[in-house]
Amino acid sequence: MKRRTRINLIVLSSVFVLFMAAWFTGAIGLAVRKLVLPRLAPRKVGSSFMIYSFGQDQRFDHETRGIILMMNPDRAKEVLRGALPIASRYLPPGLFGDGFRGQCMWLPHGEKDSSMGMIPIWLVIDASVGYEPILKGRMPVDEVNKYLAEDMGNSLSSREEWVFGHYDLIYRITFEEMRILSDMGAEMGDNRRKLRIYADGKVRIKFDDDPISARTTAKVKELTAEIDLTFVPRDDKYALAYEAKVTELRLNVNNMLKWGDDKVAEKLRKSLEKSMNRKKNKERGMKLRIPEWAARDMIIDIQLYEVED
């Protein structure tokens, strides 16, 4: 009996040692990632997200629509500890280690009707990424144009004086290409970021002075804008304040001399800047509550492109 007890103790001790070795080396976490997590998807999270898959070997480089968030394992652990302070203590090492992949679907407006449909999002943990997470995206620009048309409506306009009184210029801008880039997160401190926008496209211009009405179009040869973001502390979370500035806008208006191009471009620049800084848009940002653990120093590179027929 004593011998059997001793053997059982040796076996149990060996199993425990092997288990602890597998736990701390990440072998168990890797096994859970490969064998267990895939069985938990698809799974709905709230009204805006759907966890679609884990561990798929899909390559984002071949995708034409979607967002990829890349971060290194150490930063992923920090975010996880902030998001799940208690549960994260009991998760095995290696579960969200180098090579982890997850895919979600995001509906920007939740389950409400919107011109912008579900957007694929990939989460990739990669040891070659620096401390600052990298957010890259590619989207067809027509979806963004529809979304902006919903949001802006007729807000791009200016009221001008002329010999018969006043007239209204109403602009409808359609982007053909756009790129959104961020500064490096460390450049402006933890609570400030800057986005730079580069775009081109076309503008429909409507001259309206009842009963006189006329229309023309213009080519947007260059549009650049800067958005200064400030994360404002609010009860252990952050609200988002911003100030937008259109730094450059060059147009080529049909049937108009260059001095006219410059004049219309300046009026549109002011109107666009005013629309971007509308009070209701800024109030939306201040109503946001960004968790303290969320990565505010992401390096952003988003490309919007025109789909060829």
Side-chain angles (χ1 to χ4, degrees):
M1 181 65 69
K2 290 182 179 180
R3 183 182 179 186
R4 181 179 298 175
T5 301
R6 188 164 56 252
I7 293 174
N8 289 341
L9 286 173
I10 293 173
V11 171
L12 289 174
S13 298
S14 300
V15 170
F16 178 75
V17 170
L18 290 173
F19 175 82
M20 295 303 294
W23 179 276
F24 286 109
T25 58
I28 289 179
L30 184 60
V32 172
R33 184 204 307 178
K34 296 289 186 181
L35 301 176
V36 179
L37 283 185
R39 299 177 182 272
L40 301 179
R43 182 175 297 271
K44 189 175 181 181
V45 181
S47 62
S48 300
F49 282 92
M50 170 74 77
I51 298 175
Y52 189 74
S53 65
F54 290 104
Q56 300 297 316
D57 293 327
Q58 298 167 337
R59 291 186 57 82
F60 179 79
D61 292 344
H62 298 162
E63 298 293 334
T64 59
R65 183 177 184 275
I67 296 171
I68 182 169
L69 174 61
M70 299 181 289
M71 62 178 67
N72 69 31
D74 291 337
R75 187 62 185 275
K77 290 176 185 176
E78 286 184 23
V79 172
L80 190 62
R81 282 196 296 267
L84 303 170
I86 298 177
S88 62
R89 300 176 186 176
Y90 303 100
L91 296 176
L95 179 61
F96 298 104
D98 186 32
F100 174 87
R101 278 181 176 271
Q103 183 180 356
C104 303
M105 292 292 182
W106 172 43
L107 188 62
H109 278 228
E111 295 175 342
K112 299 178 181 178
D113 292 334
S114 172
S115 60
M116 193 171 292
M118 295 286 279
I119 300 175
I121 299 179
W122 285 263
L123 172 63
V124 176
I125 297 179
D126 187 341
S128 66
V129 175
Y131 180 76
E132 295 171 338
I134 298 174
L135 181 73
K136 292 186 176 182
R138 279 176 59 80
M139 291 286 295
V141 75
D142 62 326
E143 295 186 33
V144 177
N145 285 328
K146 291 178 183 177
Y147 176 78
L148 291 176
E150 291 177 357
D151 186 62
M152 286 187 174
N154 290 326
S155 66
L156 294 181
S157 63
S158 60
R159 188 164 179 79
E160 310 295 337
E161 292 184 359
W162 71 322
V163 67
F164 297 111
H166 294 83
Y167 65 91
D168 293 319
L169 284 177
I170 301 171
Y171 314 95
R172 288 294 181 91
I173 188 166
T174 304
F175 294 108
E176 295 175 353
E177 289 186 339
M178 181 184 293
R179 193 168 186 185
I180 304 172
L181 299 172
S182 69
D183 61 329
M184 301 296 285
E187 290 182 5
M188 300 185 71
D190 291 339
N191 292 337
R192 291 192 62 206
R193 297 300 310 277
K194 177 175 284 188
L195 297 179
R196 293 178 175 85
I197 300 173
Y198 305 90
D200 59 30
K202 56 180 177 287
V203 181
R204 287 180 294 167
I205 305 170
K206 179 182 177 183
F207 171 94
D208 194 0
D209 183 26
D210 190 41
I212 302 173
S213 182
R215 290 175 172 82
T216 188
T217 59
K219 172 68 177 176
V220 180
K221 300 176 67 175
E222 180 184 7
L223 189 156
T224 60
E226 295 181 354
I227 302 178
D228 285 321
L229 304 175
T230 302
F231 297 96
V232 183
R234 287 289 187 274
D235 301 324
D236 296 329
K237 293 184 179 180
Y238 291 90
L240 183 63
Y242 76 90
E243 190 67 31
K245 183 178 182 181
V246 180
T247 56
E248 186 72 31
L249 179 58
R250 295 193 298 118
L251 297 180
N252 185 359
V253 184
N254 288 344
N255 303 317
M256 187 171 286
L257 298 176
K258 187 179 184 306
W259 68 266
D261 292 347
D262 296 341
K263 185 175 181 180
V264 174
E266 178 60 16
K267 294 182 185 302
L268 176 56
R269 186 195 67 78
K270 291 180 178 179
S271 180
L272 183 59
E273 191 172 282
K274 180 179 178 181
S275 179
M276 294 171 70
N277 289 309
R278 277 186 300 172
K279 182 179 179 181
K280 75 170 188 176
N281 290 340
K282 292 188 174 184
E283 287 176 347
R284 290 177 189 172
M286 290 304 293
K287 288 178 181 178
L288 286 175
R289 289 298 180 266
I290 302 169
E292 191 173 12
W293 48 264
R296 303 185 300 279
D297 56 350
M298 287 187 294
I299 300 172
I300 297 171
D301 184 352
I302 297 177
Q303 298 181 23
L304 309 174
Y305 63 96
E306 194 169 35
V307 178
E308 297 181 0
D309 295 332

